Amino acid sequence: IAARSSETTNSDATQQVDVAVVGAGFAGLYLLHRLRKAGFTVVVIEEAGDVGGTWYWNRYPGARCDIQTIDYSYTFDPELESAWQWSEKYATQPEILRYLGFVADRYDLRRDIRFGTKVTAANWDESAERWRLTTSDGADVSCRYYIMATGCLSAPKPPEIDGVKDFKGEVYFTGRWPHEEVKLAGKRIAVIGTGSSGIQSIPLLAEQAAHLTVFQRTPNFALPAHNGPAPADRTAMLQGDRAAYREQARWSLAGVPYPQQMAVSWQLSDAERRERFEQAWAAGDLVHILTQLWADQGVDVDGNALLADLIREKIRNIVKEPEMAEALTPHDHPFGAKRPCLDTNYYATYNRPNVTLVNLRQEPITSITASGITTDKRTFDVDMIVFATGFDAMTGAIKAVHPITGRNGKSLSDVWASGPQTYLGLTVSGFPNLFLITGPGSPSVLSNMAVSIEQHVDWVVDRLAALREAGFTTIDATETAQAGWAQHMADCSMLTLHRLANTWYTGANVPGKARGVMPYTGGVGPYRSICNEVVARGMLGFKLS
Ligand code: FAD
């Protein structure tokens, strides 16, 4: 069915559409395409100046994906897959951004996207059975369905340190890196944070800086990417039977087509475990090392420790100065319980004479001054500070739309005061016709998100089409179903080790944020089958009217 164009009523400049989507990243672009094809009128509202989401904002040196790009791609259109060739195993940010621009052009998506516009509030009008969105450019939107494709990692966390405004040098945030070139050569640079963005950018900053000082609060496990062409065996599998390869990914645990590993650590000898580990280390494949070494690595502390120890040994072997090696070695969480990083020369960078590591566990930052950073032991004069301090993950961008008011004037931030509550990670009871893409309670950040996003979008758009077909105008999750999902989430997370780490998965990186494992830990395939079963059982857990 051809899409009808968006309608605007001039009387109060409110744009009237069937569906409003917020965000034009991987999720928002595919939503727009599918909704149009299903015959809905759609507007997408996007704060950025163009499409891309994550890949629009994160332009820092070294930014790239850590799921192999042949897997981190759309799969909904085989012709699109043949029309695009990735140049590397792990594509860089500019290439992924070009890909998303290519997708936007191919399906003519930009004409329904309002760029440079922020949704600031959303209000459910019970009598009209419509959402009203307030936007930063003044033109409100009235829509039957409101879909937040606002991203899990799109709300950068503000610095927790006093004095940033007093600093007279340059200040950058990895998650808001400027479009124009940042001159690094010969500068004294400070990086605060050693999460994924820090670990990707530090080696490149060190190559150019006169001196690089890294301020680390918590060390992370990082694994070598060994970037290069996509591996021949995976490419051959994909090209041999593209449909089967993609289908296996959809039913896998992490959204990448690997089988469930069956051998348990204690069934393998030390030599066998080491051999598996060395092969995985050399292969440079995050999902392989996270899921394929032995069956109990992600669910049992002892099985996990065997793997974590092998990685710690690698760190000690690479970093020459023992005290520095020790400071860079994680001991406070099981491997994989916190997002591990994929690196290119990360640990070796600390052998350079122009790199200093400051261990904030031993000497916390006390202030940022006009000329640099002061800890309780020393002062570092620098020309530039790079904040690689991460995101208010999973809930940050949703709660930034404030208020979101549902039935009976209930505000989402009140309902979520002690942690996010959702049914399937997709809906919130009391907020009819609101959908979250990769919301808290879905596999999202524990998976290849391209696969999770496509599953969410397909499920939501198919439901909207079915509601329309059946003559329903509202859909709302029941409180019982939502409570049941919370229980199921808790049961699943008891089976994995994610609950044992203080991470952005659990809200621990944001002061005052409610704690709890936010993504669904049961896996992508099991999650998909639950979503399908909900439909097969007459929209189990939803009230339609
Ligand atoms: P986003 O890409 O975050 O897009 C959301 C958009 O919504 C943004 O453009 C934002 O501006 C907009 N928005 C938010 N709130 C509002 C508002 N109120 N009004 C208007 N606009 C709004 N995932 C993987 O699976 N594999 C990887 O290798 C990988 N690498 C990553 C590397 C980095 C550096 C980062 C930060 C994330 C990475 N991710 C990776 C996760 C990545 O976020 C997802 O894969 C995916 O890009 C998310 O797409 P999205 O459309 O859901 O959200």
Side-chain angles (χ1 to χ4, degrees):
I1 311 166
R4 286 170 277 149
S5 61
S6 311
E7 304 146 23
T8 307
T9 55
N10 292 329
S11 54
D12 64 351
T14 296
Q15 187 173 11
Q16 305 278 343
V17 283
D18 297 329
V19 190
V21 172
V22 190
F26 249 102
L29 292 178
Y30 182 44
L31 268 165
L32 174 55
H33 174 63
R34 279 252 22 221
L35 285 163
R36 265 191 197 162
K37 278 186 74 170
F40 293 101
T41 56
V42 193
V43 64
V44 176
I45 301 178
E46 169 57 65
E47 184 187 354
D50 200 354
V51 300
T54 289
W55 305 104
Y56 174 92
W57 295 110
N58 289 266
R59 296 166 187 251
Y60 58 85
R64 43 172 97 234
C65 58
D66 56 16
I67 300 281
Q68 294 191 12
T69 341
I70 58 167
D71 298 308
Y72 186 60
S73 305
Y74 289 116
T75 68
F76 64 87
D77 179 353
E79 284 178 22
L80 168 64
E81 291 206 57
S82 331
W84 183 268
Q85 292 300 320
W86 293 107
S87 70
E88 287 183 288
K89 180 164 76 162
Y90 298 105
T92 56
Q93 171 273 329
E95 188 175 3
I96 303 174
L97 186 60
R98 273 201 305 282
Y99 169 71
L100 293 170
F102 175 79
V103 170
D105 289 341
R106 190 178 170 91
Y107 303 101
D108 187 19
L109 299 178
R110 285 191 181 87
R111 71 182 152 88
D112 280 325
I113 307 177
R114 275 165 61 182
F115 292 111
T117 306
K118 218 173 160 168
V119 171
T120 51
N123 185 33
W124 171 250
D125 178 344
E126 184 75 47
S127 56
E129 293 182 332
R130 289 178 80 83
W131 281 94
R132 189 176 188 89
L133 311 188
T134 312
T135 69
S136 59
D137 73 2
D140 284 5
V141 177
S142 165
C143 53
R144 173 81 62 207
Y145 300 104
Y146 167 36
I147 308 183
M148 297 189 80
T150 42
C152 291
L153 299 171
S154 56
K157 199 166 71 79
E160 292 158 34
I161 310 159
D162 289 341
V164 182
K165 285 202 181 68
D166 302 333
F167 181 62
K168 294 275 185 279
E170 298 162 70
V171 174
Y172 300 105
F173 293 83
T174 50
R176 288 287 181 274
W177 199 261
H179 290 208
E180 49 293 346
E181 190 199 350
V182 175
K183 299 236 182 316
L184 304 165
K187 297 205 171 140
R188 296 165 303 168
I189 303 176
V191 176
I192 302 180
T194 52
S196 197
S197 305
I199 283 175
Q200 287 188 333
S201 59
I202 282 165
L204 294 173
L205 297 174
E207 276 174 19
Q208 294 208 46
H211 197 91
L212 181 73
T213 310
V214 178
F215 294 83
Q216 171 193 270
R217 186 163 62 186
T218 316
N220 246 318
F221 289 103
L223 314 158
H226 298 306
N227 206 10
D233 57 340
R234 307 295 303 168
T235 312
M237 271 173 70
L238 175 64
Q239 284 167 355
D241 189 343
R242 191 173 286 274
Y245 183 95
R246 296 303 188 201
E247 197 59 11
Q248 194 188 343
R250 292 183 188 116
W251 292 97
S252 66
L253 282 182
V256 177
Y258 281 120
Q260 169 65 45
Q261 180 52 240
M262 298 307 288
V264 182
S265 60
W266 40 265
Q267 293 175 308
L268 303 166
S269 67
D270 283 356
E272 284 168 331
R273 283 196 300 267
R274 185 170 287 274
E275 191 190 337
R276 286 181 178 216
F277 170 72
E278 291 294 348
Q279 272 177 9
W281 187 265
D285 179 345
L286 184 70
V287 180
H288 184 106
I289 211 164
L290 266 171
T291 64
Q292 295 296 298
L293 296 197
W294 36 90
D296 51 339
Q297 66 179 76
V299 293
D300 176 73
V301 276
D302 295 333
N304 188 279
L306 290 164
L307 172 52
D309 282 345
L310 288 166
I311 304 175
R312 291 186 190 113
E313 190 183 305
K314 287 281 184 201
I315 302 172
R316 279 195 299 276
N317 289 341
I318 300 169
V319 182
K320 294 199 178 111
E321 213 270 288
E323 203 182 320
M324 204 182 236
E326 185 50 30
L328 288 165
T329 304
H331 290 285
D332 67 340
H333 64 277
F335 171 68
K338 184 175 181 143
R339 173 102 180 173
C341 307
L342 213 60
D343 77 273
T344 302
N345 297 330
Y346 176 63
Y347 293 118
T349 296
Y350 290 93
N351 295 331
R352 295 176 65 107
N354 70 332
V355 175
T356 304
L357 176 68
V358 179
N359 183 349
L360 297 178
R361 298 271 177 220
Q362 286 171 1
E363 50 173 316
I365 294 174
T366 50
S367 65
I368 293 181
T369 62
S371 61
I373 298 176
T374 305
T375 68
D376 68 358
K377 292 203 174 79
R378 295 179 273 179
T379 290
F380 300 86
D381 285 338
V382 293
D383 305 307
M384 180 189 296
I385 303 177
V386 174
F387 285 94
T389 37
F391 300 93
D392 182 352
M394 303 204 71
T395 55
I398 298 171
K399 288 173 92 170
V401 176
H402 186 72
I404 299 176
T405 314
R407 278 202 166 120
N408 306 319
K410 256 200 265 176
S411 139
L412 188 73
S413 52
D414 290 343
V415 174
W416 283 11
S418 36
Q421 304 292 319
T422 68
Y423 180 42
L424 305 170
L426 284 160
T427 57
V428 186
S429 177
F431 295 79
N433 295 5
L434 165 67
F435 293 92
L436 313 174
I437 303 298
T438 66
S442 77
S444 62
V445 289
L446 293 181
S447 68
N448 169 5
M449 290 192 65
V451 167
S452 288
I453 284 170
E454 283 191 339
Q455 185 268 343
H456 272 189
V457 169
D458 289 338
W459 193 92
V460 170
V461 178
D462 290 346
R463 301 294 60 76
L464 298 194
L467 291 181
R468 182 182 55 190
E469 186 77 6
F472 290 113
T473 47
T474 69
I475 172 169
D476 194 4
T478 66
E479 283 190 13
T480 314
Q482 185 160 290
W485 190 247
Q487 184 59 53
H488 177 60
M489 291 267 298
D491 291 346
C492 288
S493 80
M494 285 309 288
L495 297 173
T496 76
L497 303 178
H498 290 104
R499 70 197 184 303
L500 302 181
N502 290 324
T503 72
W504 55 264
Y505 292 152
T506 62
N509 67 327
V510 179
K513 188 164 173 172
R515 298 287 182 93
V517 179
M518 289 186 285
Y520 176 66
T521 55
V524 166
Y527 175 81
R528 177 182 294 271
S529 86
I530 292 168
C531 290
N532 291 353
E533 191 182 340
V534 164
V535 178
R537 292 174 63 182
M539 294 305 287
L540 186 69
F542 286 103
K543 196 160 181 288
L544 311 180
S545 62

